[in-house]
Each structure stands twice: as C-alpha cells, then as structure tokens.
Amino acid sequence: MTISNSNSPIARREALQDRLEQLTRMIEIRFVEDRIQKLFAEGHIRGSTHLASGQEAVSVGIARSIDPDDIVTCTYRGHGHALALGVTPEGVIGEICGRVIGCAGGLGGSMHLVEPEVGLLPTAAIIGAGLPIACGAAMAARARGKDRVAVSIFGDGSANIGAFHESLNFAAIRKLPVVFVCENNLYGEYTRIELSTPVEDIAVRAASYNMPGVIVDGQDVDKVAEAMGVAVARARRGEGPTLIEMKTYRYSGHSRSDPATYRPAGELDAWLKRDPIDILADRLVSESILAPGGLDQLKAETRDAVERATGQVLDSAAPDLGEILSHVSASSAGGDQRWHFWP
C-alpha cells in the first residue's frame, strides 16, 4: 500500500484519482478530526471546533470531481473539505492550533482555512456566507473567459436563509457555473430538520429556480462523485447551476461542548452501520484493490502519519501578535501574495 504524504496540495489533489488514495484520504480526515478533539482537551486549541466525522465521503467525492483552479466555498465545518481538496494535515491542524505552520499562518483559526493553490476560499463562520460569494466567483470566471466552476458547500440550516434563495435565483437567471451542495446531516446546530424546515428534501427547492435538484447518498463517495461530475459538466457547458443534496450524518455534536443528547436513541447507531469508510473499503476489496483485512493496516499507517504531522505542529511557533491585522485589508497585506486567487 502507498500513502500520499506529499507536502504539495496540488500533488495531494491529483493523488485522489487513485482509488486507494480516496480511501486513505477519508481515513486521514477521520483521524485528523479525532486528533483535533484530543488537542483541544490537551489545551492546544482556543475557541471551539466543529467536526464532520461521518461526512468524509462528501468531501472526497467533491474534491475528486473538480479541478484545482475551480473555486470552493464552505462553512466553519470545513476541516474535511480542506483536507480532501489538498491542504496538508500540518496545514489544517496547524491552523486550528494557531501555529505559523497553519494554512493561514495561524492567523485564521478553525473557521478560516484557506488554500489558493487548490481553490479553497477562506471558510466562513457566517451561516450561508459562501453562497453569494460562489456566485461572485462564477461571475469573475466568466468575465475572465475562464472555464471554471464555483462550488458552494453549506448545511441544511443554510437552506432557510435569504442568501440561499437569492443566490440560487441569481445563479439561475444568469446561468452561472455554480454547483450548490447541501450537506443535509439532519441537524442545524442543535435543531432537527423537521423543526425548522417544511420540506423533507432540500433538493425540491431547486424547482423554484428552474435548475436540476439531485438527491445523493452522501455516505457513498462514488455516488457523490458521479452526481458532482454531471453537475460540473453542465456548468462548464454554460447550462447553469445545479442543487445537489447530500444525505449524510455527523457523528459528533454541533461543536466540541455539545454531547448531542437531543438525538433520538438508536439514530447514531443506524448511521454508523453505513459508515462511508467501511462502504468504500468493502467496495475496494470486491474490486481487488484492497486486500481482505487491509483496512486495518491502512488505518495504522494513516494514524502514524497524522501523529507525525501533529508533532510538527506542536514544534511550530505561534504567530507574532503584531501580525494580527496584517491581512485584514489589501493595503495591510504589505504586498503578500500568498492568498491571492487567480493571479
């Protein structure tokens, strides 16, 4: 077995064309988030954390379906998306721990991961903030004559805010190359979906904006990639946006302090029986890509790699407090080009 431990985000993205690497990346996401929880308990992380354990297939399925110069916006629950797109474990863990090795130099923290090299705009703490930003990125691509697509990833709670409806309407009327991806994990923070949303399927709302609305099994990375491939191809042909609803589930509570006691008994156990890592591993065994029992070895190798990355993070310094306002505005960046998109 081989594991891509490259420090190059582009190389890590390209590696996702390999079936075994897709499984490895999903395991990496799971273990990085597990390690983040421990780092928080050990006092290395300030603020909060928002894990997406259980949703790894959505992240990897999206990443393997788009190009590095396509643009992605997502929420504060973005650790998995950043890793899938190509950000290194050192970059993600380092940023969450506030160290200079982090992908934003330790200045952004858990909710503001970024990597221009693979198209990841800074993740946002504001619910649904990425929806209109993706429309803007799509307009910029069209204005520049670029064959690029913008992907906006958001939660089911975001489908009830004004920016959701404005963005879908705007993208549809202008036929913008946008793919709207709703991660429906059944809970908007602490509220179950039927208490806040009058429809069972978010995808039906696409009909109001005359665009395709697609429901996908978000636990199956191949089905995620298949649906994304159709939507991305449609966007590149100039036929406009698509709304894709990924049916998935987060194993943890909303944030690090939430024990998720509001969930009905047995719900978590039912979803654990359809774990996305196990689904892909079983398929790779049937395809003779992974040896029977090979998942355990792959997990051990990946866990060791995550521990090495964590060690590098803890050896890294914290940023100088004098840097705290250095990238608040273009003028305060002092000519720093690290976080420029589409130079």
Side-chain angles (χ1 to χ4, degrees), residues 151-218:
V151 177
S152 180
I153 307 168
F154 52 94
D156 44 281
S158 298
N160 293 330
I161 68 171
F164 168 85
H165 298 280
E166 292 177 13
S167 298
L168 267 66
N169 184 73
F170 186 77
I173 207 72
R174 300 239 177 187
K175 290 192 179 298
L176 294 178
V178 185
V179 181
F180 298 103
V181 178
C182 177
E183 291 183 287
N184 186 352
N185 60 24
L186 304 182
Y187 291 90
E189 295 198 355
Y190 316 99
T191 305
R192 210 171 194 286
I193 187 169
E194 63 265 27
L195 299 177
S196 64
T197 307
V199 294
E200 181 176 351
D201 300 317
I202 303 296
V204 302
R205 291 180 167 172
S208 298
Y209 305 104
N210 195 27
M211 70 175 70
V214 183
I215 298 174
V216 176
D217 177 1

Side-chain angles (χ1 to χ4, degrees), residues 1 27 31 290-302:
M1 300 176 184
I27 296 169
F31 286 171
L290 181 69
L295 180 60
D296 289 341
Q297 181 183 344
L298 201 57
K299 285 183 175 180
E301 293 174 357
T302 307

Side-chain angles (χ1 to χ4, degrees), residues 4 12 30 48 66 69 100 108 125 132 139 143 150-152 154 163 176 188 207 225 269 278 282 307 319 325 333:
S4 172
R12 282 170 52 83
R30 180 75 57 85
S48 190
I66 58 177
D69 54 3
V100 295
M139 288 190 70
V151 177
S152 180
F154 52 94
L176 294 178
D269 292 334
D278 292 339
D282 290 345
E307 284 303 312
L325 298 177

